[in-house]
Amino acid sequence: QVQLVESGGGLVQAGGSLRLSCAASESILSFNAMGWSRQAPGKQRELVATISWGGSKSYVDSVKGRFTISRDNALNTVYLQMNSLKPEDTAVYYCHARRVVGGLDYDYWGQGTQVTVSS
């Protein structure tokens, strides 16, 4: 069973920075893509950033230029560096991984880590 364990959330003032980590129980290169999503109270879960097996990165428009996704293959860890944080970034952040096998998508999720940005 794949396990994804997030860490690094917390309380920060607007304009501050946080770095989230997601440690996987298996080689992250065994996944077709990994990423971060977030869910604010009363809102749907939103895909924030992804990184493909080949290293291609994508971001939702609201975080472009502020957030950076990266990975350390040796540590089986994916990171989300969040700079210039805004109160609207407040949410539970979830790490996820996707593996495609035989044309079927297998998605795995972490338990989430709370990020709170105060104004």
Side-chain angles (χ1 to χ4, degrees), residues 30-49:
S30 71
F31 301 109
N32 295 80
M34 295 189 71
W36 292 90
S37 296
R38 66 186 179 186
Q39 188 166 20
K43 294 187 177 181
Q44 289 190 330
R45 192 171 295 191
E46 172 187 45
L47 180 62
V48 174

Side-chain angles (χ1 to χ4, degrees), residues 1 14 32 34 45 48 50 55 59 61 63 75-76 78 87 91 94 106 108 114-115 117:
Q1 181 71 16
N32 295 80
M34 295 189 71
R45 192 171 295 191
V48 174
T50 61
Y59 302 92
D61 285 346
V63 307
L75 296 179
N76 293 323
V78 174
Y94 298 90
Y106 294 85
Y108 307 93
Q114 177 71 45
V115 171
V117 184

Side-chain angles (χ1 to χ4, degrees), residues 20-22 28 34 36 51 69-71 76-80:
L20 306 183
S21 300
C22 171
I28 59 175
M34 295 189 71
W36 292 90
I51 183 167
I69 189 170
S70 63
R71 68 188 184 194
N76 293 323
T77 300
V78 174
Y79 303 98
L80 186 68

Side-chain angles (χ1 to χ4, degrees), residues 19-113:
R19 188 178 79 157
L20 306 183
S21 300
C22 171
S25 59
E26 302 180 14
S27 170
I28 59 175
L29 294 179
S30 71
F31 301 109
N32 295 80
M34 295 189 71
W36 292 90
S37 296
R38 66 186 179 186
Q39 188 166 20
K43 294 187 177 181
Q44 289 190 330
R45 192 171 295 191
E46 172 187 45
L47 180 62
V48 174
T50 61
I51 183 167
S52 72
W53 179 88
S56 299
K57 303 175 184 181
S58 64
Y59 302 92
V60 68
D61 285 346
S62 59
V63 307
K64 285 181 179 178
R66 300 189 298 122
F67 290 12
T68 302
I69 189 170
S70 63
R71 68 188 184 194
D72 187 323
N73 298 336
L75 296 179
N76 293 323
T77 300
V78 174
Y79 303 98
L80 186 68
Q81 178 67 44
M82 306 185 294
N83 299 329
S84 302
L85 283 161
K86 304 175 181 180
E88 51 264 44
D89 294 318
T90 295
V92 178
Y93 284 70
Y94 298 90
C95 176
H96 61 90
R98 171 166 289 181
R99 180 177 287 149
V100 181
V101 180
L104 296 178
D105 294 341
Y106 294 85
D107 292 311
Y108 307 93
W109 294 88
Q111 81 287 352
T113 185

